[in-house]
Amino acid sequence: NAGVTQTPKFQVLKTGQSMTLQCAQDMNHEYMSWYRQDPGMGLRLIHYSVGAGITDQGEVPNGYNVSRSTTEDFPLRLLSAAPSQTSVYFCASSTGPISNQPQHFGDGTRLSIL
Amino acid sequence: GQNIDQPTEMTATEGAIVQINCTYQTSGFNGLFWYQQHAGEAPTFLSYNVLDGLEEKGRFSSFLSRSKGYSYLLLKELQMKDSASYLCAVKPGRGSTLGRLYFGRGTQLTVWP
């Protein structure tokens, strides 16, 4: 009963380093998305995907890349980490873009950039 | 752009009733979701409204008026464990925003004994 799995749960990086946040879901969901959550800012959409091979930008895409080679996986890459990217990152999935089914969230990755 | 507003903070006492409001202005409308998020945890789904009216789920109810761009979440018989942030999210459902979910900043509810 895994649902949406995010790894790692915590990470500390130095400015300029790169890394990949992993997200996997086992519910055969078409729609996957990445959000960042900062104090007082709510959840902001970084990138999303409506199916394998299709990705698009959200509200705050700069500094992040994504790919969707399989239905299950949707990794988020930080190209050159900056302190402004210190945040909690959530991956979510749902059955489809026009579905009334809710998005299911992973437990989050808490990322600190020094 | 999409605009979703909800109060930043609310407080209430155990056993009471609290109403958390959400107003929205979006390009099209394809549903409104309420999520609960405890500190340090992921958001979890509470309710969904796409038609006008009230949806009831145990102690929680959610109301929608599409003509007014307004929703509320009603929590009855409050318990200490209801202390959490409540997130209003709207799915605009038109053009390039199809499928995307836009979140308000969340309402932090504190329940006192």
Side-chain angles (χ1 to χ4, degrees), chain B residues 59-112:
Chain B
R59 293 189 301 114
F60 292 7
S61 303
S62 57
F63 172 83
L64 176 67
S65 169
R66 289 173 295 171
S67 62
K68 295 181 180 178
Y70 168 69
S71 173
Y72 67 73
L73 181 69
L74 193 71
L75 291 76
K76 304 175 187 174
E77 301 168 15
L78 281 172
Q79 303 174 9
M80 298 293 289
K81 67 179 182 179
D82 297 329
S83 291
S85 183
Y86 291 85
L87 312 177
C88 174
V90 176
K91 188 177 279 191
R94 177 180 295 175
S96 62
T97 64
L98 185 67
R100 291 168 59 166
L101 204 57
Y102 289 84
F103 284 84
R105 298 187 176 192
T107 299
Q108 182 63 47
L109 173 66
T110 302
V111 180
W112 299 101

Side-chain angles (χ1 to χ4, degrees), chain A residues 9 12 44 55 64 74-75 101 111 113:
Chain A
K9 295 194 184 305
V12 179
R44 293 183 292 169
T55 63
Y64 307 95
F74 191 43
Q101 294 302 304
L111 183 62
I113 315 297

Side-chain angles (χ1 to χ4, degrees), chain A residues 31 35 37 40-43 45 48 57-59 90 96-103 105-106 110, chain B residues 30 33 35 37 40-45 48 87 91 96-106:
Chain A
Y31 188 89
Y35 296 89
Q37 187 173 38
M41 295 297 294
L43 285 160
L45 183 66
Y48 66 101
Q57 296 180 350
E59 303 168 72
F90 287 102
I98 60 172
S99 166
N100 64 354
Q101 294 302 304
Q103 292 194 7
F105 286 83
R110 282 142 188 86
Chain B
N30 198 30
F33 297 81
Y35 286 83
Q37 186 178 25
E41 298 183 7
T44 56
F45 169 72
Y48 170 75
L87 312 177
K91 188 177 279 191
S96 62
T97 64
L98 185 67
R100 291 168 59 166
L101 204 57
Y102 289 84
F103 284 84
R105 298 187 176 192

Side-chain angles (χ1 to χ4, degrees), chain A residues 20-35:
Chain A
T20 299
L21 279 60
Q22 301 291 344
C23 176
Q25 52 91 10
D26 61 357
M27 297 173 283
N28 202 31
H29 283 171
E30 294 178 44
Y31 188 89
M32 295 186 75
S33 51
W34 276 102
Y35 296 89

Side-chain angles (χ1 to χ4, degrees), chain B residues 4-24:
Chain B
I4 300 162
D5 285 319
Q6 49 182 133
T8 305
E9 295 178 324
M10 298 184 72
T11 60
T13 53
E14 230 176 345
I17 299 173
V18 70
Q19 178 175 310
I20 302 174
N21 296 325
C22 172
T23 58
Y24 63 89

